[in-house]
Amino acid sequence: MRSSASRTSHSQVLAANVDTVVVAVSLAAAAPAGRIERMLALAWESGAVPVIVLTNADRPERPVTVVRDEVAALAPGVDTLVVSSVTGEGMDVLAAVLTGTIVLLGPSGVGKSSLGNALLGADLLATGEVRARDGKGRHTTVHRELIRLPGGGVLIDTPGLRAVGLHDSRSGIQQVFAEIEDLAVDCRFSDCTHVSEPGCAVHAAIAAGSLPQRRLDSYRRLLRESAWAASREDARLRAERDNQRKAISRHLRATYKFRDRRS
């Protein structure tokens, strides 16, 4: 479940009862760290096991090993695989780690549908061209499709995600930034905010160069966004309950007035 891409507080269900989430990242374009962290938080929060799949290994923008190491650093405890749906590179390894109901997540143009077709062994999912100037693609998948895989399990292809909002995803965020959570255990204060407190183990790691400042900034940003979305949802639910109570009260008052007129 993610927050709606609109400005409302409504959440949007992408898929249900999922066992494995494939986070697709294209090697043919820049891989934004923030987007990857968001999708991983979404995956962990769902209770599924995420797998990062670096697609388009046949036409990488930068050295594959460099990108793989950079992406793997964003995803502690998550398999990061390199594949090509054109040459078949890495597809056997990917098929071996995928289990149960599998959903493909990622923006348009990263090759989700091509990846799905390679796993299915047939061109069952629509694919489209990618713009050469920015690596972006059109929405060829406009609805969710659920197809049985030849080797067992089920594949769900989703539309490309232009925006990924988090909805009350604190536990998923903590999983993505596990190294920060581990460091925080050694902070002097149990409620350390990792801002300016003395004895902060997180800031000590940043000063030592073992933790990038960008990771801490992203961690804080996603926690703030998640808390804001949760508060908006709580406020919306309270407003809905208040409106329901008011509607019931109006109905009862109208009923009593009608009875009084008849008596």
Side-chain angles (χ1 to χ4, degrees):
M1 181 181 290
R2 65 161 179 168
S3 284
S4 170
S6 67
R7 296 183 178 229
T8 68
S9 59
H10 294 272
S11 58
Q12 178 184 12
V13 176
L14 295 173
N17 302 319
V18 174
D19 299 296
T20 309
V21 175
V22 172
V23 177
V25 180
S26 176
L27 286 163
R35 178 182 286 274
I36 295 170
E37 289 163 345
R38 282 172 176 273
M39 288 193 289
L40 285 172
L42 195 69
W44 281 123
E45 189 67 28
S46 73
V49 175
V51 176
I52 295 179
V53 177
L54 303 179
T55 63
N56 301 317
D58 52 295
R59 49 189 182 93
E61 182 183 72
R62 294 192 295 142
V64 172
T65 54
V66 173
V67 178
R68 183 186 60 204
D69 290 346
E70 290 176 353
V71 172
L74 304 174
V78 177
D79 288 330
T80 302
L81 307 179
V82 176
V83 306
S84 168
S85 57
V86 175
T87 66
E89 176 186 349
M91 292 303 303
D92 55 341
V93 178
L94 175 59
V97 303
L98 299 182
T99 58
T101 300
I102 303 145
V103 64
L104 304 178
L105 292 185
S108 298
V110 297
K112 296 191 307 298
S113 295
S114 295
L115 182 64
N117 286 334
L119 290 168
L120 293 165
D123 293 336
L124 301 180
L125 304 175
T127 60
E129 295 296 324
V130 175
R131 292 198 302 258
R133 62 183 174 86
D134 58 8
K136 293 183 178 180
R138 299 188 177 207
H139 284 293
T140 52
T141 302
V142 295
H143 59 277
R144 297 163 187 79
E145 297 185 68
L146 190 149
I147 306 174
R148 188 175 297 278
L149 288 165
V154 174
L155 178 71
I156 303 174
D157 188 21
T158 63
L161 303 179
R162 287 195 180 96
V164 182
L166 298 181
H167 180 81
D168 197 7
S169 303
R170 184 177 180 85
S171 63
I173 295 168
Q174 291 173 330
Q175 188 77 33
V176 175
F177 297 92
E179 77 276 32
I180 296 179
E181 293 290 320
D182 291 341
L183 287 167
V185 174
D186 295 325
C187 288
R188 180 181 301 177
F189 303 107
S190 60
D191 58 349
C192 184
T193 60
H194 320 307
V195 177
S196 58
E197 296 92 336
C200 176
V202 174
H203 272 289
I206 292 174
S210 58
L211 177 69
Q213 178 67 47
R214 192 209 66 80
R215 283 283 280 177
L216 179 58
D217 293 341
S218 182
Y219 172 71
R220 287 175 177 155
R221 182 168 55 252
L222 295 184
L223 281 177
R224 286 196 303 269
E225 180 181 324
S226 176
W228 179 85
S231 67
R232 283 284 301 273
E233 178 70 7
D234 288 342
R236 185 179 64 82
L237 291 175
R238 284 197 300 272
E240 288 180 353
R241 287 194 294 267
D242 288 344
N243 289 336
Q244 289 174 352
R245 283 195 292 268
K246 289 176 182 177
I248 292 172
S249 296
R250 286 194 298 269
H251 175 72
L252 289 175
R253 285 197 299 270
T255 300
Y256 294 148
K257 286 181 180 179
F258 178 74
R259 288 177 179 175
D260 290 343
R261 291 195 197 101
R262 294 189 61 185
S263 58

